[in-house]
Amino acid sequence: RLINEGVLCDFTRIGGGTRTNIILADRKNKTQIMLNASGPRITPAELGLFFEKIRSLPHDAEFVVVSGSVPPGVSNNIYAQIITTLAGKGIRVALDADGELLRRGYRARPFLMKPNIHEFGRLTGVASAETGDILKEARRITGAGVEIVLISMGARGIIGVTKDQALWAIPPPVEV
């Protein structure tokens, strides 16, 4: 379908099937239940093929986004490896992950990090939603080499921090 829509794509084929995620919506009570399945186990050979595509990205590529969880068989160090590999080619990486993937990826100094407020709290240990505490930790992260930190906070908006400035964008109220 992507090809039919004119989207340039280059997939790494694997033996397993695509995982299925189901959202059950209760419109009357305005609630949702999410049923997220595990992805298929990735073999070392499949991972090697994928990583070879990462290594062979052209030097004129400017930006890569790594995000989400990883399937069984893939190390929590994969995003850090991708960030390190691409940084050596001058390609900037945006990281949007949680838990150990975020922690290890952050240590590899991506160009941009975009945790939500809960992921940010787990990474930094900041349990407070106070803006001052968030800014202090985000500035510590930019001081460690991440150029841009974006912390999404739902209806409270998003805070963007670089070594030189901090911005807070607040969205208009909307009915969810």
Side-chain angles (χ1 to χ4, degrees):
R1 181 169 184 177
L2 290 172
I3 292 168
N4 287 340
E5 295 291 330
V7 176
L8 181 63
C9 50
D10 184 10
F11 294 98
T12 301
R13 301 275 177 205
I14 62 170
T18 302
R19 76 178 184 157
T20 302
N21 296 326
I22 300 169
I23 300 174
L24 303 173
D26 180 346
R27 292 185 178 151
K28 180 180 176 187
N29 294 314
K30 297 182 179 180
T31 60
Q32 294 180 336
I33 297 173
M34 296 178 65
L35 305 171
N36 295 329
S38 293
R41 179 160 289 282
I42 303 301
T43 68
E46 291 166 340
L47 186 58
L49 288 172
F50 170 73
F51 211 82
E52 187 51 42
K53 286 186 182 193
I54 295 294
R55 277 201 269 318
S56 65
L57 283 173
H59 287 279
D60 63 347
E62 294 181 35
F63 211 79
V64 169
V65 176
V66 292
S67 65
S69 60
V70 296
V74 176
S75 165
N76 282 334
N77 205 43
I78 186 71
Y79 289 165
Q81 291 173 311
I82 291 170
I83 292 164
T84 301
T85 299
L86 295 179
K89 297 177 77 161
I91 300 172
R92 296 178 292 179
V93 178
L95 171 65
D96 183 2
D98 191 11
E100 201 59 28
L101 285 164
L102 178 60
R103 185 173 324 287
R104 292 180 187 198
Y106 148 67
R107 290 182 189 136
R109 295 189 312 274
F111 171 74
L112 181 148
M113 274 178 41
K114 205 281 328 141
N116 66 38
I117 190 68
H118 308 292
E119 295 161 346
F120 185 74
R122 287 188 287 274
L123 174 68
T124 62
V126 172
S128 166
E130 295 294 321
T131 308
D133 294 337
I134 295 167
L135 287 174
K136 178 181 173 187
E137 285 302 309
R139 285 189 174 114
R140 183 184 61 74
I141 291 170
T142 59
V146 177
E147 291 192 39
I148 301 170
V149 179
L150 300 171
I151 302 123
S152 59
M153 304 179 299
R156 290 181 55 207
I158 189 164
I159 292 177
V161 178
T162 68
K163 69 175 188 161
D164 299 321
Q165 63 181 335
L167 302 169
W168 187 355
I170 302 171
V174 295
E175 183 179 331
V176 177

